[in-house]
Amino acid sequence: MRLLRHLQHWLKGRGQGIQVAEFVPETHPVRQWADTFPWTALVAAVERSFAQRFPAPTARGRAPVSIRVVLALELLKHELHCSDEQICNQLRTDLAVMYACGIAAVQVDRSQEHFVLPEVLAQFRSRIDAALMDELLAIQAAAAIAQGVVSPAHLVVDTFPSEQGSQRVNDAATLYKAKKKSSRSSPPSPSTARGQARR
């Protein structure tokens, strides 16, 4: 995926290189989460979609940030309930986030404040259309079924990320609230009314 070419502006700092996987235990939740994704297929789908819908980038200037990195950051942002700025800051300081982004080794220049600017993540997100989102979800669902992580009989794909602490509106919640409201507003049954009268 030529990740080094995309990130060479901050992977070629001074000092000894760090092998990211050696510092992130196999039991770390972010590493386990990242290892469930079929990254190669997901990145290929994004590259195909972008190539069809957007002009090819020029060779001038700094190489763009790898799709592998920004896709992982976008997914991690929702998983960890972060803002764009927070997840981009974590990429600079958190080896587990680097691992999830597919970065095998780093040799950092301390003067480099950001590896990926939050604006890059916002621009990437604006390019994902409904067709691409459906394709990415289908790839992830097929990989999860193939790994035996989920059963095809009970697979539900949720494309609506919610903010931490917010109330989700879905069919189950609506039905529950409707039943609860109905039970409060309906008159008590004769047996219930008799029991209340005895008290």
Side-chain angles (χ1 to χ4, degrees):
M1 285 185 274
R2 307 183 306 282
L3 198 57
L4 180 60
R5 182 180 72 81
H6 288 282
L7 297 173
Q8 60 186 342
H9 59 283
W10 62 267
L11 288 178
K12 291 187 174 178
R14 301 179 186 88
Q16 187 174 0
I18 296 173
Q19 298 301 311
V20 174
E22 292 180 10
F23 286 84
V24 184
E26 292 182 5
T27 56
H28 194 287
V30 171
R31 180 170 182 161
Q32 292 178 337
W33 173 87
D35 288 344
T36 66
F37 283 83
W39 293 110
T40 303
L42 293 172
V43 168
V46 173
E47 287 175 342
R48 276 194 309 274
S49 176
F50 284 10
Q52 292 169 358
R53 295 185 295 122
F54 301 106
T58 63
R60 290 178 293 179
R62 180 180 287 178
V65 177
S66 165
I67 286 175
R68 169 70 175 83
V69 172
V70 288
L71 179 58
L73 287 176
E74 180 62 24
L75 294 170
L76 266 174
K77 184 182 96 158
H78 296 291
E79 187 69 20
L80 301 178
H81 307 289
C82 296
S83 66
D84 288 354
E85 188 172 348
Q86 288 169 332
I87 197 64
C88 289
N89 285 338
Q90 284 195 39
L91 178 61
R92 177 67 174 80
T93 59
D94 191 333
L95 289 169
V97 172
M98 291 180 196
Y99 178 90
C101 290
I103 298 167
V106 288
Q107 194 171 6
V108 182
D109 181 353
R110 290 183 182 176
S111 65
Q112 182 76 34
E113 188 173 340
H114 290 282
F115 294 165
V116 176
L117 293 171
E119 295 80 22
V120 173
L121 194 55
Q123 181 185 26
F124 172 77
R125 185 168 52 251
S126 71
R127 292 178 160 218
I128 298 177
D129 64 357
L132 176 56
M133 180 61 76
D134 288 343
E135 185 177 0
L136 295 177
L137 290 170
I139 292 169
Q140 178 61 13
I145 291 169
Q147 294 172 12
V149 177
V150 296
S151 165
H154 305 290
L155 181 63
V156 176
V157 178
D158 185 359
T159 61
F160 189 82
S162 61
E163 294 297 326
Q164 186 174 16
S166 67
Q167 295 296 316
R168 284 291 310 282
V169 178
N170 56 34
D171 291 343
T174 305
L175 182 61
Y176 172 77
K177 288 178 183 176
K179 285 181 178 178
K180 195 171 182 183
K181 185 176 180 182
S182 173
S183 66
R184 278 185 289 185
S185 62
S186 63
S189 66
S191 60
T192 308
R194 281 195 299 271
Q196 290 174 346
R198 287 192 193 112
R199 290 179 203 161

